[in-house]
Amino acid sequence: MEYTTLGRSGLKISSVCLGTMNFGTSDAVADCDETEAARIIDAFLDAGGNVIDTADGYTGGQSESIVGRAVKGRRQSVVLATKAFLPQGPGPNDRGLSRAHLTRALEASLRRLGTDYVDIYQCHQWDDSTPIEETMVTLDGFVRSGKVRYLGCSNFTAAQIVESQWAAQRLGAVPFVSLQSQYSLLARGIEAEVLPTCQRHGLGTLVWSPLGGGVLTGRYRRGAAPGADTRMGRLRASTLPMARAWADGLLNEPNLEVADQVVRIAADLDTTPTAVALAWVRWRPGVTSVIIGPRTLNQFHGNLTGFALDLPAEAVGHLDEISRSAGLMPVNGMDTGR
């Protein structure tokens, strides 16, 4: 396992980040029970991984609780990251990045995680209704209290990153050191502005959905409906309109053409499409760590092969070329489909 410094900080994180959105049970997309989740976490830590990412909005808080119980006894060796923004109740102050909501959200996350501090606390989305100064000074207070070590954001645009960092500078507050954003052969929108902005403003990047919601694993074919037991099948069957729309948007002709090419390259290299897709993302300029979201232990081990694969330059060039037109998904994708 390789480690690198996260942004403009001294924190060392592994090149693989374990995403836990699938941990817990729900009627949407997650279906990894606690026993299997604990096995995945143990295998990840045993392999040398150290950063685990969750959020208060994942499976109604189940993900945080599962992670907290699984890392008990190994807490000091884990870089624990969680996020806040998503609704935690029906009230008008039960969501967003206000001081009122963030304060309650952090305390609730700490209880579920069974810890007295979070290594990286992240704003899950931008909040148009809250002044960024209020958000940054609130987060600064969390760091000064010892309840949070480092700050990050997720799904922010380049302009929002700059505005946040400038606000922190004006206030003499702690700035962000990380960004989570969607990035894969099917979603390359962050290359133009977001990644260069992160480099200029001292943010490391943890990229999510590197397998394009599973499309790049080779499980989906033109003219064939996704199986009911697949991620796209579950999304299409979801009660959430956004989930169905996101699945339909991914299963388009250009994306399936890219997926076919990934399958071909994998066959030529005697490896899996998953490994090829992950290897391509891992070595992209500006990427600090790649978030994987396995639902099973077998999927986890399959994912790890991508971080040991060296893609030939010819394969990288071909993937770069064929994905340029397909990989134009907006910066703010759907954070329920990793």
Side-chain angles (χ1 to χ4, degrees):
M1 187 71 67
E2 296 182 347
Y3 304 89
T4 189
T5 302
L6 181 63
R8 201 170 291 157
S9 78
L11 184 66
K12 304 297 191 298
I13 67 169
S14 51
S15 58
V16 186
C17 171
L18 181 61
T20 64
M21 188 198 70
N22 290 320
F23 292 179
T25 57
S26 78
D27 61 356
V29 296
D31 59 350
C32 179
D33 65 28
E34 183 159 0
T35 299
E36 187 72 355
R39 295 173 65 202
I40 293 170
I41 291 173
D42 285 344
F44 173 72
L45 296 177
D46 290 344
N50 73 341
V51 58
I52 299 177
D53 178 70
T54 184
D56 61 2
Y58 292 165
T59 52
Q62 292 179 63
S63 175
E64 286 186 326
S65 297
I66 289 170
V67 169
R69 287 189 288 268
V71 303
K72 189 175 182 180
R74 305 176 76 171
R75 176 68 183 91
Q76 296 303 314
S77 63
V78 176
V79 176
L80 196 53
T82 193
K83 300 182 284 291
F85 172 91
L86 298 178
Q88 298 297 297
N93 291 309
D94 291 334
R95 61 175 295 161
L97 301 180
S98 68
R99 179 180 290 108
H101 178 64
L102 286 176
T103 301
R104 289 197 297 268
L106 176 60
E107 294 299 331
S109 287
L110 292 173
R111 286 194 299 272
R112 285 189 291 266
L113 290 165
T115 185
D116 57 3
Y117 72 98
V118 172
D119 294 283
I120 310 173
Y121 198 55
Q122 303 154 111
C123 299
H124 208 150
Q125 297 178 32
W126 178 262
D127 184 359
D128 281 324
S129 66
T130 300
I132 188 58
E133 291 81 3
E134 178 178 334
T135 298
M136 297 309 295
V137 78
T138 301
L139 295 173
D140 178 75
F142 295 164
V143 174
R144 295 180 189 278
S145 72
K147 295 180 179 180
V148 169
R149 300 290 191 259
Y150 297 92
L151 302 175
C153 55
S154 179
N155 304 314
F156 277 31
T157 65
Q160 290 162 353
I161 293 167
V162 172
E163 189 171 346
S164 301
Q165 298 299 76
W166 282 355
Q169 185 177 42
R170 288 194 305 272
L171 295 164
V174 176
F176 291 138
V177 298
S178 69
L179 168 78
Q180 284 194 25
S181 195
Q182 186 178 14
Y183 192 34
S184 74
L185 283 162
L186 306 184
R188 297 179 59 179
I190 66 172
E191 292 177 350
E193 295 184 354
V194 173
L195 286 176
T197 297
C198 286
Q199 291 175 319
R200 287 195 299 271
H201 288 268
L203 281 71
T205 58
L206 299 92
V207 297
W208 58 268
S209 199
L211 298 176
V215 174
L216 295 171
T217 64
R219 301 186 71 181
Y220 308 99
R221 289 289 184 267
R222 294 183 182 88
D229 62 336
T230 65
R231 174 168 290 177
M232 291 298 108
R234 290 191 299 274
L235 285 169
R236 278 187 162 176
S238 171
T239 58
L240 300 172
M242 187 170 66
R244 297 195 298 271
W246 196 70
D248 290 340
L250 277 173
L251 295 174
N252 60 41
E253 187 70 19
N255 286 357
L256 291 173
E257 170 61 24
V258 173
D260 284 349
Q261 294 299 312
V262 171
V263 170
R264 183 185 66 77
I265 290 172
D268 290 343
L269 298 176
D270 193 26
T271 187
T272 66
T274 293
V276 170
L278 288 171
W280 181 87
V281 172
R282 171 67 188 95
W283 297 110
R284 300 303 294 176
V287 172
T288 305
S289 185
V290 179
I291 301 174
I292 59 173
R295 292 185 295 107
T296 68
L297 187 61
N298 285 339
Q299 284 184 354
F300 168 73
H301 288 304
N303 284 178
L304 281 192
T305 63
F307 296 88
L309 175 65
D310 289 324
L311 284 178
E314 181 180 357
V316 173
H318 182 59
L319 290 171
D320 286 353
E321 183 61 30
I322 64 169
S323 66
R324 291 191 191 282
S325 60
L328 297 177
M329 184 174 288
V331 170
N332 291 331
M334 180 184 173
D335 190 18
T336 56
R338 295 182 189 175

